Amino acid sequence: MSVDKNTVAKIAKLARIRVDEAQQEALSGELNQILGWVEQLSELDTTGVEPMTSVVEMTQPLREDVVNDGHYVDRVTKNAPDSAHGFYAVPKVVE
Amino acid sequence: MSYRIKGNTGDWEVVIGLEVHAQVISNSKLFSGAATAFGAEPNYQVSLVDAAMPGMLPVLNKEVVAQGVRTGLGLRAKINMKSVFERKNYFYADLPQGYQISQFLEPIVGEGVLTLDLDGGETRDVGIERMHLEQDAGKSIHDQHPTQSYIDLNRSGVALMEIVSRPDLRSPEEAGAYLRKLRSILRYLGTCDGNMDEGSMRADVNVSVRKPGEELGTRTETKNVNSIRFVQQSIEFEAKRQIKVIEDGGKIVQETRLFDPSTGTTRSMRSKEEAHDYRYFPDPDLLPLVLDPAWVEEIKKTIPELPDEKKARFIKDFGLSAYDAGILVTDRDRAAFYEAVAEGRDAKLAANWVMGDYFGALNKSGLSLENSPVSAKQLGGLIGLISDDTISGRIAKEVFEAMWESGKDADVIVEEKGLKQITDTSAIEAAIDEIIANNPGQVEGYKGGNERLIGWFVGQTMKATGGKANPGMVNELLKKKLAE
């Protein structure tokens, strides 16, 4: 797997990270190095091995269906750059 | 009789698949303890988990999982004993996490089947591809401020089921039948209230067209359509648009579209195209969901009799037509009401009364079964009076109206108003004798061979007895007397 300049630009855009054109070349080199290192794993034969999703030997804990949170509009909107009438107020995003 | 759209180059077939988002009935959200009730003040039902504050961790709601299993069982689907929550990454103002927690490669429910009830009592099976659990996003309001959108996160994190059909539907009518049946099943199960106008059920509509027998065409997806009628309109519009594009030498682009209810048209949502790279990966905050087979068995035992089974039973036990049975079982409460009315009565007569006069009166008065003035037992009483010839079917309608007005029992009204059917031969004979004596012309006509005049005589006799004479006896006595 190889990452070129265009892929870097695309990933950056999807992640909403500004990457100047000048940086893209260098970044693609770095990413390729990382991917190359990770790809060493494919030398192992993992046929029939379940993917490991966690190092903890347990399954998903479940909670009871009880309302015990919320009801604090002020706390929820406290860190927002702007809010009005209990809503978050953001630059207009309309389809 | 297949649905076809006529184009300039011949007939076209429409291929439809539906992805329905159904809000799960639960007290609290999928991964947080905030409430789910409809219509709260903005951001009142939001926890720091739903607002995606740093460091907050999701904890899965057991009841939502149970609801998912129930729905899977109701759709006669495979329950996957292991499923995985993944992150679907995209940016939008009403998605504070920057990703939606959903299920992708390993959903909780696999393949199932849903039976469509079509016109004339016909049925057809449609494949269910899968069902998974996911979070809803928040709500954006664009019309309150000139330069800002307002964001309400009350819906953020509410549990949704996404139910995906196979592309097995072939007409707007079938799509409507699919949605009605799905809604009926979800309501029976108690897993979704099915209120489309409150947004509890919405559909993404996949449409493509092809010449009958040819390969599948390229499809478009119209997002978030929120009524059955709109789904049908969007299919019709989209199919015709695609046919025109193809016949004019163009190509259909696979894209996301938006339905505009005010014009009944769809338009491209170009902005969504680039965002379509969702980069799913298993959510590291959540372990795989593994179900205990004993728990699934326990849930299975709580599944009620569903519409299809109830319909089959109504046909078998009550001798109803497939069409009538199909209508009666659509709603669980209405089906139960019918059964209570039919208990120990003439079941077909009961079906006619429940579906006709009774539901008609309910609709007209805007009442529901709970606050109806006439109970199932009372309606059963009225039907009993018809069956044992105490009153005629015609008088019964009058009695029913009086019952609806006063809430009194049928026998009380019949007694009070003196509506008891006249089954006393001599009383009817007296009336007939008088009519015969006063209308020699009609008598002659009848005797001369105009047998249709019998209807006129029946009418006169009924009028003379205030509609209370037993129609069967009137007929019999008239024929006897006129033959003398």
Side-chain angles (χ1 to χ4, degrees):
Chain A
M1 189 172 166
S2 169
V3 174
D4 61 12
K5 232 177 97 176
N6 289 339
T7 313
V8 170
K10 191 185 165 202
I11 297 167
K13 185 167 185 196
L14 285 169
R16 300 294 193 277
I17 298 171
R18 188 199 308 273
V19 178
D20 293 335
E21 182 121 22
Q23 286 178 284
Q24 288 173 3
E25 198 72 53
L27 257 179
S28 78
E30 263 182 58
L31 285 172
N32 277 323
Q33 248 181 337
I34 295 167
L35 286 170
W37 183 72
V38 173
E39 263 168 21
Q40 290 180 49
L41 289 173
S42 59
E43 288 169 19
L44 287 171
D45 181 8
T46 54
T47 319
V49 179
E50 283 270 309
M52 186 177 74
T53 42
S54 169
V55 291
V56 194
E57 271 294 318
M58 60 185 289
T59 52
Q60 183 62 49
L62 301 172
R63 49 164 245 281
E64 292 303 316
D65 181 27
V66 178
V67 176
N68 54 15
D69 207 347
H71 313 313
Y72 40 66
V73 182
D74 292 348
R75 281 179 75 196
V76 163
T77 53
K78 196 172 169 187
N79 293 316
D82 196 3
S83 64
H85 319 292
F87 293 101
Y88 292 92
V90 303
K92 190 152 261 187
V93 272
V94 72
E95 274 298 334
Chain B
M1 240 201 354
S2 308
Y3 177 82
R4 294 284 184 265
I5 295 181
K6 269 207 188 328
N8 295 327
T9 59
D11 283 356
W12 293 83
E13 182 182 41
V14 186
V15 177
I16 305 150
L18 294 173
E19 295 168 21
V20 173
H21 297 260
Q23 184 179 326
V24 177
I25 294 178
S26 64
N27 299 318
S28 62
K29 294 183 180 179
L30 180 54
F31 295 116
S32 87
T36 59
F38 180 77
E41 291 294 307
N43 289 317
Y44 186 64
Q45 296 175 166
V46 178
S47 78
L48 299 179
V49 177
D50 311 316
M53 292 296 169
M56 303 312 294
L57 288 173
V59 187
L60 187 53
N61 184 335
K62 184 178 180 184
E63 172 61 13
V64 171
V65 175
Q67 294 285 55
V69 171
R70 271 180 209 117
T71 303
L73 293 171
L75 295 171
R76 289 175 271 163
K78 179 171 178 280
I79 305 299
N80 291 325
M81 301 312 279
K82 182 190 162 215
S83 62
V84 174
F85 285 98
E86 306 205 31
R87 292 184 179 180
K88 178 182 181 177
N89 300 279
Y90 67 94
F91 284 98
Y92 202 70
D94 56 23
L95 187 79
Q97 286 166 160
Y99 56 84
Q100 175 193 35
I101 305 178
S102 180
Q103 296 186 304
F104 187 56
L105 292 177
E106 300 183 65
I108 187 167
V109 172
E111 289 192 17
V113 66
L114 182 139
T115 305
L116 300 185
D117 296 299
L118 301 167
D119 282 349
E122 266 179 75
T123 61
R124 191 161 88 70
D125 283 351
V126 170
I128 301 286
E129 196 170 297
R130 59 182 279 158
M131 189 215 86
H132 66 252
L133 294 171
E134 63 183 25
Q135 298 175 300
D136 202 350
K139 197 170 114 190
S140 306
I141 298 161
H142 304 296
D143 57 2
Q144 299 293 308
H145 192 279
T147 60
Q148 291 187 319
S149 292
Y150 286 164
I151 311 293
D152 173 12
L153 295 182
N154 280 344
R155 293 191 71 100
S156 170
V158 167
L160 301 177
M161 301 179 276
E162 179 171 327
I163 301 154
V164 183
S165 85
R166 293 218 164 270
D168 286 351
L169 301 161
R170 292 289 176 272
S171 70
E173 286 66 38
E174 287 191 359
Y178 176 88
L179 290 169
R180 276 191 295 273
K181 187 57 170 285
L182 180 59
R183 184 170 60 184
S184 169
I185 290 172
L186 298 180
R187 283 177 172 165
Y188 265 70
L189 292 166
T191 59
C192 170
D193 67 25
N195 292 336
M196 293 187 93
D197 47 359
E198 288 180 6
S200 305
M201 234 177 101
R202 2 197 243 273
D204 295 346
V205 188
N206 290 287
V207 173
S208 65
V209 297
R210 65 175 171 189
K211 289 287 175 63
E214 284 183 4
E215 294 280 291
L216 286 176
T218 306
R219 67 187 168 84
T220 63
E221 181 182 9
T222 305
K223 284 273 183 197
N224 258 330
V225 189
N226 65 356
S227 87
I228 291 175
R229 194 164 57 90
F230 291 161
V231 166
Q232 293 180 322
Q233 276 179 11
S234 73
I235 292 167
E236 213 174 310
F237 176 85
E238 190 51 25
K240 284 181 178 158
R241 185 191 69 83
Q242 291 184 10
I243 290 166
K244 186 163 184 334
V245 169
I246 297 168
E247 290 191 334
D248 288 352
K251 268 201 146 127
I252 301 302
V253 194
Q254 184 164 345
E255 62 175 355
T256 308
R257 298 181 69 87
L258 204 64
F259 178 71
D260 180 351
S262 62
T263 56
T265 61
T266 67
R267 65 183 157 87
S268 181
M269 279 172 85
R270 287 184 216 290
S271 59
K272 277 266 176 185
E273 293 317 299
E274 249 192 348
H276 256 163
D277 192 345
Y278 291 131
R279 295 150 293 145
Y280 280 97
F281 65 89
D283 191 317
D285 290 340
L286 291 157
L287 290 159
L289 170 60
V290 178
L291 302 175
D292 175 2
W295 188 48
V296 174
E297 276 311 307
E298 226 173 275
I299 293 172
K300 202 178 249 171
K301 284 188 201 133
T302 67
I303 301 288
E305 183 186 41
L306 292 172
D308 290 326
E309 301 150 28
K310 203 183 278 288
K311 181 179 165 188
R313 183 166 61 80
F314 279 13
I315 292 171
K316 188 169 158 279
D317 290 0
F318 294 137
L320 300 185
S321 70
Y323 178 79
D324 286 354
I327 287 181
L328 285 169
V329 304
T330 309
D331 180 85
R332 194 177 171 181
D333 292 338
R334 290 190 166 202
F337 179 86
Y338 165 70
E339 281 201 78
V341 174
E343 171 98 51
R345 313 279 182 200
D346 178 337
K348 277 188 188 175
L349 189 60
N352 290 340
W353 271 89
V354 169
M355 290 191 295
D357 296 80
Y358 193 85
F359 287 166
L362 272 188
N363 285 344
K364 213 171 127 193
S365 54
L367 295 171
S368 63
L369 282 176
E370 298 95 76
N371 51 26
S372 161
V374 178
S375 70
K377 199 168 158 245
Q378 286 177 305
L379 185 59
L382 176 66
I383 286 157
L385 292 182
I386 305 170
S387 296
D388 69 11
D389 276 339
T390 305
I391 53 173
S392 68
R394 221 194 70 180
I395 291 290
K397 292 194 187 278
E398 193 183 325
V399 176
F400 178 69
E401 273 175 34
M403 289 168 76
W404 198 266
E405 292 284 311
S406 64
K408 288 181 187 166
D409 284 353
D411 50 1
V412 173
I413 288 165
V414 169
E415 197 62 48
E416 277 178 4
K417 296 197 167 192
L419 293 172
K420 219 172 221 166
Q421 188 158 244
I422 303 171
T423 49
D424 171 9
T425 315
S426 61
I428 298 173
E429 274 181 333
I432 290 174
D433 287 341
E434 202 179 326
I435 290 160
I436 287 177
N438 292 338
N439 299 284
Q442 264 77 2
V443 175
E444 210 166 296
Y446 178 82
K447 285 187 172 165
N450 187 358
E451 290 194 357
R452 278 187 306 175
L453 272 170
I454 190 77
W456 183 84
F457 282 104
V458 171
Q460 292 299 308
T461 313
M462 292 309 281
K463 202 169 145 192
T465 55
K468 288 182 287 182
N470 178 312
M473 288 177 68
V474 169
N475 247 309
E476 204 178 302
L477 288 170
L478 267 170
K479 280 187 179 152
K480 205 176 95 195
K481 291 251 174 205
L482 286 166
E484 278 169 6

